[in-house]
Every structure is written in C-alpha cells, then in structure tokens.
Amino acid sequence: MHDLTFFRNNLDLVRERLATRGYALDIDAFRELDERRRQCVTESEQLKAERNRATAAIGKLRQSGADTAGQQQQVRGIGEKIAQLDEAVAKLDSEFHDFLSRIPNLPHESVPVGTSEHDNVEIRRWGIPPEFSFVPKAHWDLGPSLGILDLERAAKVAGARFAVYWGLGARLERALINFMLDLHTKEHGYQEVLPPFLINSASLYGTGQLPKFGADSFKCEAHDLWLAPTAEVPVTNLFRSETLNSDALPISLCAYTPCFRSEAGSYGRDVRGIIRQHQFQKVELVKFTRPEQSYAEHEKLTRDAEEVLRRLILPFRTVVLCTGDTGFSAAKTYDIEVWLPGQSAYKEISSCSNFEAFQARRAEIRSKTGKAKPEFVHTLNGSGLAVGRTWVAIVENYQQADGSVLVPSALQPYLNAERIDVSGGRLI
C-alpha cells in the first residue's frame, strides 16, 4: 500500500515510476474518486457544524420557554443528511482502499528500467559450471533412474506438478532443510520460527497477494484459510497490527514451510521435472528493519542466501530484476540463479526483495522508540533456499558417469552418505 499523502502530492512522479513497471496509473480516476470523497467529507463536516450551532440555539430557546419543535425537526433532517453522507464516505473509502491496494510498489531508483526478464542485469557470478566427460542428464531422467524421484505415482495420487521422493531422495530433501536452517541460525543470526501453514485472507492482503493474486493460491472451501504460498506470508504477518521497538531492529527470522501454489498462468513453463510444482519445500528469510537500514540489510540477506550455494559448491549468478520484472510488492529484487547442467541454463533458486514500507503499511507494522512518532518498518524476504530446486541442482551438478550422484561434503553429516546410487532409492 502507498503513502496516500505522498501519492496525492506526487501523482505525475508516481505515474512515471509506475510506467517503468508497465503499469498505467489512471490519474483521472484517482482524482475523481479523491474529489468525490473530499466533497462528501467537507459537506458532512459543514452539516455537523450547522447541527451543533442549531442544537446550541435550541438549548437557549428552551431555557426561555420557547417552543422548539420546528427547530428540532430541522436538526433531525440535518442528522439524516449527515448519516447519508457518512455512509457515502465509508463507501468511497472502501473504493479508495481497493483502488490503492491494486497499485504495485514504486521501484527503487537503483532498479534498471526494462520490460521483461531479458532486461535483468547480472551483478556477480560465482563458481564454474562443471565439465563432464559424458552428456549430463536432467534430473527428470536421473531421479527416476536412481529410484529417488517418482513423478508417475505422484500424478496418480495428486495430479500433475507433484512429486514423490524415495529413500535417499527424501532424506536429501530433509537434509537440505536442516542444513539451511542450521546455517542461517548458527552463523547468520536468524531466529528460527515454525509458523502455521494455513493462513487467513488478512495475512495474504498484508503481504500483497490479495486482492489481485488470489488465483495464484489454494483456498480451503468454506473457510477463510489458504495454503501458504511461501513462509513470507505467515512470518511477516506475525507482527501485523503491532508496534515494534525500533532499538530491537533489525529482526531476522527464518522458517521452513511447505509451499503451495496454483501456478496460474505458468502453464507451458518448466513442465518437466520438479522446477515448478504445486507443492514444494522452502526455507525463507524474513527481516523487519528501520527504513534507513533496509538496503544494507537487503544486501546482507542476499549474501546469506548465496552462502548456501557456496557451501554446497553449486555455481550461481545473481541478477537485479528490472522494473518490468519486479514483483507487485517489491521495490527492488535480486534473483539468485543456480546452474543446472542437465538443462544448460541458470534457473532461479531465490528471490531476495526489499518491500520498503509497502507491506508494513498494508499489515500496519510500525516501530518506535520512547516518545518518538511511530513509523512503518521496512520488510524484506528471500528464499534461503528453495529446497526442491537445490535438490535438482545437486543431482544435476554432482552426477557421475555411472549414473550415481555424489553428496556435497557439507551435506554428508546430515545424510550420512557420500553417494546416491540405485541402492538408495525405492525398494520396488
């Protein structure tokens, strides 16, 4: 949500910056709605002042014994008009709120202007993609051949875009979750939290998924509950409608959750394997900061996410998203993309975003110290990492000529294994 005062006083600037995202702000509609609301409020306030004067006059007339029936009737008529105007104001407030809630965040000045992912800018690259003496396979071939990934049985149970992991495949997923949580809590200073996996509409509104992106999530029929699309939603909303102590900021939290997404509009993209699933696991990093520290914390959060790949020795690159590719709520986003040799491409494994006060204003999360005026915090989050895609990256980058997969040394204590071969998969 935007600061209405800034929005109202800088309409042309706001329109120009939103245009770099490909969003056409209807200034005439905004001004017309704003003017109607102001007129109703002004008229209501004038009538209330008139009613107060008339009520005071009636009081004096009564003291003198005069008949005030006619004046009282006039006051009742004024009250009825005020009630009608207040009802109109409430309706216009709702329209105004809905209008503003559908407008994306303004991109930060440092974000490159562009229209699509092709205009994103690479800012660094780490590691060297491995060279193979054979043609590397994609995970959708390697996983089933090792008996650790089963897409056919998953489809039988739940349909397309689901997966079953067997044996060491399942243990690899669990090992990655524990490894990521340990790294972020023991070395990066995050506090672990385990939030609900079901969330209400107010939480989705607070982080910007509602009202515009409801089709991207799964809703529980007959309940105001949704399956969490990412831990960003429940963790950010832990402090909804609260005022935090500014001296305690930044607050850094990490959480493991399963994530559920309908992937509406993504059909035809990444249809093979487990890159784009309806259900997947993720470790999320979330920060609450003071405004002046948020961009330094954004850089740190991104480095923390990258460190997972460095420890696993997985080549990656980091890009800053252009204005046209930046998500609805974000002011600036870095995407971390891991190298997948089976697909000869870098694929996103984490998005690290600074939302500035956009989410905090929607969720009413403020901070203050002493008698200072409360201010909205800045919220940040990023995957640390998407577990399934990390699983894919390990299987593809560590594959061997005999079809087995080596386990990265950082994971061996968690998995109690150095290699995954056919003996590590399903029994039948």
Side-chain angles (χ1 to χ4, degrees):
M1 186 72 76
H2 294 278
D3 180 340
L4 180 56
T5 301
F6 176 86
F7 201 91
R8 182 183 283 135
N9 294 336
N10 299 275
L11 272 176
D12 290 333
L13 172 63
V14 169
R15 178 174 59 180
E16 290 173 6
R17 292 180 64 186
L18 288 174
T20 67
R21 298 184 59 126
Y23 183 89
L25 176 64
D26 191 340
I27 287 184
D28 291 336
F30 176 86
R31 285 176 171 155
E32 189 271 337
L33 188 60
D34 194 21
E35 183 60 28
R36 278 198 291 142
R37 181 188 177 280
R38 288 189 184 204
Q39 287 176 352
C40 286
V41 169
T42 299
E43 188 175 350
S44 176
E45 290 175 348
Q46 290 173 344
L47 286 174
K48 288 174 183 176
E50 181 181 343
R51 182 178 60 182
N52 291 339
R53 289 192 296 269
T55 300
I58 289 172
K60 292 179 179 179
L61 288 171
R62 281 181 171 176
Q63 289 177 355
S64 65
D67 182 9
T68 61
Q71 289 89 339
Q72 286 178 309
Q73 181 64 31
Q74 289 179 342
V75 169
R76 282 193 291 271
I78 293 173
E80 291 173 359
K81 291 180 181 179
I82 291 172
Q84 293 172 356
L85 285 168
D86 286 348
E87 183 179 346
V89 169
K91 183 179 179 181
L92 288 168
D93 278 341
S94 178
E95 292 181 26
F96 218 153
H97 194 269
D98 184 66
F99 182 91
L100 289 174
S101 71
R102 297 175 185 273
I103 299 173
N105 202 355
L106 301 182
H108 189 261
E109 293 84 352
S110 64
V111 174
V113 175
T115 58
S116 71
E117 62 185 34
H118 301 294
D119 299 314
N120 296 340
V121 178
E122 182 178 318
I123 58 172
R124 56 180 168 267
R125 189 175 290 215
W126 185 92
I128 300 173
E131 295 183 0
F132 299 92
S133 60
F134 55 93
V135 178
K137 295 180 180 179
H139 68 280
W140 55 74
D141 291 323
L142 272 169
S145 68
L146 289 168
I148 60 174
L149 179 66
D150 193 335
L151 301 176
E152 292 182 2
R153 285 188 171 93
K156 179 171 61 176
V157 172
R161 300 206 183 204
F162 288 92
V164 171
Y165 301 90
W166 293 87
L168 281 176
R171 287 172 55 194
L172 176 59
E173 185 94 352
R174 178 157 49 94
L176 282 167
I177 294 167
N178 288 331
F179 167 70
M180 293 175 189
L181 289 173
D182 284 348
L183 176 62
H184 296 313
T185 57
K186 295 179 180 179
E187 299 188 37
H188 294 159
Y190 293 80
Q191 180 179 357
E192 184 176 352
V193 58
L194 183 62
F197 303 158
L198 289 169
I199 50 180
N200 55 30
S201 297
S203 295
L204 283 165
Y205 176 83
T207 46
Q209 281 80 7
L210 288 180
K212 192 170 182 179
F213 302 103
D216 294 334
S217 298
F218 290 106
K219 191 175 192 304
C220 300
E221 188 175 354
H223 298 276
D224 181 29
L225 289 172
W226 304 68
L227 298 178
T230 166
E232 164 199 347
V233 182
V235 175
T236 301
N237 280 276
L238 290 175
F239 296 125
R240 188 172 76 240
S241 302
E242 292 188 29
T243 299
L244 307 174
N245 183 350
S246 295
D247 293 336
L249 301 180
I251 295 173
S252 301
L253 305 176
C254 71
Y256 152 74
T257 63
C259 305
F260 305 89
R261 296 183 186 174
S262 69
E263 294 295 344
S266 69
Y267 296 101
R269 296 179 59 194
D270 300 315
V271 293
R272 300 193 68 183
I274 58 173
I275 292 294
R276 196 174 295 275
Q277 297 276 280
H278 288 312
Q279 175 187 323
F280 57 97
Q281 325 294 329
K282 192 145 67 83
V283 170
E284 192 79 0
L285 308 177
V286 178
K287 285 178 179 280
F288 303 84
T289 78
R290 296 190 299 273
E292 66 272 15
Q293 66 186 172
S294 69
Y295 276 95
E297 290 297 325
H298 186 207
E299 297 295 327
K300 182 180 184 302
L301 183 147
T302 304
R303 294 285 188 178
D304 291 340
E306 292 173 341
E307 184 62 21
V308 177
L309 297 174
R310 291 189 182 93
R311 297 291 179 94
L312 297 174
I313 315 179
L314 292 171
F316 68 89
R317 68 175 188 169
T318 301
V319 301
V320 58
L321 301 193
C322 71
T323 53
D325 199 32
T326 300
F328 176 84
S329 299
K332 184 175 183 177
T333 298
Y334 293 117
D335 268 8
I336 304 170
E337 301 176 347
V338 67
W339 175 253
L340 300 182
Q343 300 162 65
S344 296
Y346 285 96
K347 288 287 186 177
E348 176 205 333
I349 198 167
S350 174
S351 284
C352 301
S353 298
N354 187 346
F355 303 97
E356 297 185 352
F358 190 85
Q359 291 182 331
R361 191 171 284 110
R362 296 170 75 102
E364 297 183 340
I365 307 173
R366 298 174 173 85
S367 70
K368 65 170 295 185
T369 299
K371 297 181 179 180
K373 182 180 178 181
E375 63 178 354
F376 288 108
V377 302
H378 281 195
T379 61
L380 304 85
N381 72 58
S383 303
L385 300 165
V387 179
R389 294 190 181 191
T390 311
W391 190 101
V392 168
I394 289 171
V395 169
E396 292 196 7
N397 279 276
Y398 282 87
Q399 62 181 294
Q400 304 298 300
D402 63 0
S404 65
V405 173
L406 297 181
V407 176
S409 58
L411 282 183
Q412 290 177 12
Y414 292 87
L415 203 59
N416 195 27
E418 297 180 358
R419 181 186 297 265
I420 301 172
D421 54 30
V422 292
S423 64
R426 63 177 181 267
L427 298 179
I428 57 172

